[in-house]
Amino acid sequence: MTDSLTVRDNRTGQEYDVPIADGAIKAADLGKIRTDDDSPGLSIYDPGFVNTASCRSSVTYIDGEKGILEYRGYPIEQLAEKSSFLEVSYLLVHGELPTADQHQQWVHDITFHTFVHENVKTFMQGFRYDAHPMGMLMAGTGALSTFYPDARNISDPDVRYLQIIRMIAKMPTLGAWAFRHAQGKPYVYPDNDLSYTENFLAMLFKMSEQKYNADERLVKALDVLFILHADHEQNCSTNAVRSVGSSQVDPYSAVAAGIGALYGPLHGGANESVLRMLRRIGTKENIPDFITGVKNGDERLMGFGHRVYKNYDPRARIIKKAAEDVFEVTGTNPLLDIALELEKIALEDEYFVSRKLYPNVDFYSGLIYEAFQFPPEMFTVLFAIGRTPGWLAQWLELVQDKEQKIARPKQLYMGDRELTFTPASERWA
Ligand code: ACO
């Protein structure tokens, strides 16, 4: 067996041998296929990168058919159960689990960098009273590049490390301040006696009490949610981080681009739609009618189906369990019963089974966030905080990858050519 592809160009009758490595051919090799020396080489047309690998990566593995998700080779189920968000962040960024000393240093470094420059606060306060927190987070992250101009030295490993620490540390501070801003409440400074996730909850909800004490079960549930969102290989926002980062801009600007991508409803916003859907269904009795509507193509069962997972999204299973833990503290949400019943019916229904439609990560996450009393606008901010180490691990991989180049896709030009320009004075005469 030869690891190559033989391509016959029926326009010319010529055959080409294209090497196959790691299950892929190089698009540039197809560029050698041309009808004559003057014509452009063959290119690949792939809007949405449906079947184009943009990089080699060792960060995250997904097998969508089997419902497998692994960070650096470790199954997500084990990490969610036995690790913490900061340890998982270390794993993603460094590629391996920390020793006790490395972990202590990592947690110390991140805790040490949770504060932001006072002018960042002034900057955040400049937003309109009803500014969307995701827009504030995106702008705040981009603005950090002006506070750390050294960040542009991306070829220096120490400089890179410092920005990674700063960004993981400061994202909850910016996210919490964006939340408080919309409520007209004073911003709360970080409390470095608290753990990463406890401190985030304190910055969100602390009022006049001396010390904010969050329920441990809520802290754990939110930490697990951060772990579940920490990376998902080459999704839209990670691709944005890599694409912008390929210009060798500083990582704050690259991550701000990722936040912009996540802001969009096709990426970070489906859990909000799930809540709206559950509210509209209202009672369990209305579920059969709703399902009939879905099967007739009137609407979609939100929180079901995934481009990659053709099996139960492993994150959905873990979130379902986390939801139970949260409701133990906050009291149950009546929408949960509808969600459970919907899931039960859909998983037995031929329409969903034959199309391999299973609950995705968003089916239960909105319910949990609502139990925490987050408004829907905050859902993507939580996603962004969790995704930050993943974006940074991918960015680090990009800047160290000798095969990477500035991201610059080709196009198939469909417009006019060689028109003759008539000046405006003549055209409008
Ligand atoms: N409800 C009903 N039918 C569905 C659903 C759904 N949620 N999802 C897919 N289908 C059907 C489609 O109608 C199609 O049926 P057909 O073959 O009879 O035409 C078939 O299943 C295949 O669907 P596609 O749209 O081709 O699948 P694609 O991979 O393009 O879409 C997507 C994936 C966008 C996630 C889709 O399943 C969907 O819209 N789900 C609901 C929204 C949602 O939950 N999004 C969150 C995704 S997770 C995340 O982004 C973090």
Side-chain angles (χ1 to χ4, degrees):
M1 190 174 83
T2 320
D3 282 346
S4 72
L5 179 76
T6 302
V7 181
R8 185 186 150 84
D9 185 346
N10 291 325
R11 299 171 299 178
T12 60
Q14 204 169 329
E15 285 195 355
Y16 300 81
D17 266 344
V18 183
I20 300 176
D22 301 321
I25 58 166
K26 286 193 176 162
D29 285 340
L30 294 184
K32 293 172 194 155
I33 301 176
R34 51 182 76 212
T35 48
D36 58 63
D37 289 348
D38 294 334
S39 70
L42 198 66
S43 57
I44 309 253
Y45 179 58
D46 189 6
F49 303 118
V50 177
N51 190 27
T52 297
S54 64
C55 60
R56 291 171 194 280
S57 182
S58 313
V59 181
T60 288
Y61 175 79
I62 299 176
D63 182 333
E65 287 296 328
K66 297 197 182 114
I68 293 173
L69 170 63
E70 295 170 357
Y71 298 158
R72 301 284 189 185
Y74 292 99
I76 190 68
E77 293 80 3
Q78 295 179 23
L79 295 172
E81 190 189 337
K82 298 174 187 162
S83 187
S84 67
F85 177 62
L86 282 194
E87 189 182 34
V88 167
S89 303
Y90 185 100
L91 173 69
L92 286 168
V93 169
H94 289 269
E96 49 195 39
L97 290 169
T99 62
D101 286 350
Q102 287 166 336
H103 185 256
Q104 195 185 10
Q105 186 68 44
W106 175 251
V107 173
H108 170 270
D109 288 350
I110 288 176
T111 309
F112 192 80
H113 284 280
T114 49
F115 278 71
V116 292
H117 191 290
E118 246 340 73
N119 287 2
V120 173
K121 187 173 152 193
T122 318
F123 174 74
M124 299 285 277
Q125 282 170 329
F127 280 93
R128 253 180 73 131
Y129 67 95
D130 58 353
H132 195 292
M134 196 64 168
M136 291 181 72
L137 185 71
M138 175 167 61
T141 305
L144 288 181
S145 75
T146 67
F147 289 85
Y148 307 112
D150 54 322
R152 69 171 73 105
N153 299 328
I154 60 163
S155 54
D156 183 329
D158 293 337
V159 170
R160 288 199 299 250
Y161 181 76
L162 184 56
Q163 314 321 314
I164 288 173
I165 292 284
R166 281 177 173 151
M167 235 178 300
I168 296 174
K170 295 180 200 308
M171 207 57 87
T173 312
L174 297 180
W177 287 6
F179 173 75
R180 304 278 295 200
H181 184 83
Q183 304 188 329
K185 289 181 182 158
Y187 299 176
V188 175
Y189 287 102
D191 180 344
N192 288 347
D193 290 338
L194 300 177
S195 73
Y196 186 86
T197 305
E198 267 178 311
N199 171 48
F200 177 51
L201 286 170
M203 289 189 291
L204 288 164
F205 299 120
K206 187 169 183 291
M207 289 308 290
S208 59
E209 62 271 45
Q210 276 292 318
K211 196 93 188 156
Y212 183 82
N213 285 316
D215 189 293
E216 261 177 44
R217 290 166 293 180
L218 294 183
V219 176
K220 174 66 187 161
L222 193 54
D223 207 69
V224 166
L225 281 159
F226 285 155
I227 293 174
L228 297 183
H229 287 92
D231 198 54
H232 213 230
E233 50 117 307
Q234 307 310 315
N235 56 86
C236 177
S237 58
T238 301
N239 183 57
V241 171
R242 279 182 173 264
S243 186
V244 171
S246 75
S247 73
Q248 301 193 348
V249 74
D250 67 88
Y252 298 100
S253 304
V255 168
I259 297 174
L262 189 63
Y263 200 169
L266 291 189
H267 193 2
N271 45 16
E272 190 185 338
S273 319
V274 173
L275 281 184
R276 267 203 304 272
M277 173 189 78
L278 294 175
R279 268 201 195 95
R280 199 156 41 81
I281 296 173
T283 64
K284 282 203 238 178
E285 290 66 45
N286 294 336
I287 292 177
D289 279 353
F290 171 78
I291 293 278
T292 306
V294 170
K295 285 158 65 171
N296 289 341
D298 300 340
E299 58 185 311
R300 290 206 157 188
L301 171 51
M302 299 310 288
F304 261 65
H306 197 278
R307 173 62 64 79
V308 178
Y309 293 115
K310 301 302 170 197
N311 203 322
Y312 214 103
D313 179 338
R315 301 168 300 174
R317 212 184 294 279
I318 301 165
I319 284 196
K320 195 174 165 186
K321 166 80 181 59
E324 286 162 14
D325 297 345
V326 168
F327 291 140
E328 227 175 70
V329 182
T330 62
T332 188
N333 183 334
L335 297 180
L336 177 68
D337 292 338
I338 300 175
L340 288 169
E341 186 65 15
L342 251 182
E343 180 190 331
K344 192 164 152 272
I345 292 176
L347 289 180
E348 286 165 1
D349 190 297
E350 200 276 331
Y351 175 93
F352 298 92
V353 175
S354 63
R355 289 171 179 76
K356 300 186 176 174
L357 300 171
Y358 293 87
N360 61 47
V361 68
D362 286 326
F363 193 63
Y364 288 104
S365 64
L367 286 171
I368 301 190
Y369 294 149
E370 196 170 66
F372 273 94
Q373 301 192 333
F374 286 119
E377 310 84 78
M378 272 301 283
F379 293 0
T380 38
V381 171
L382 301 166
F383 194 156
I385 294 171
R387 184 55 57 87
T388 299
W391 285 330
L392 291 166
Q394 301 270 354
W395 170 78
L396 197 57
E397 195 172 62
L398 166 91
V399 298
Q400 293 176 292
D401 182 347
K402 299 260 184 302
E403 280 188 350
Q404 284 297 328
K405 294 176 183 301
I406 186 164
R408 204 311 185 178
K410 278 197 147 186
Q411 63 167 6
L412 305 180
Y413 181 67
M414 297 292 151
D416 292 330
R417 291 281 328 279
E418 299 184 352
L419 302 178
T420 302
F421 178 74
T422 313
S425 55
E426 288 178 33
R427 291 195 325 273
W428 300 341

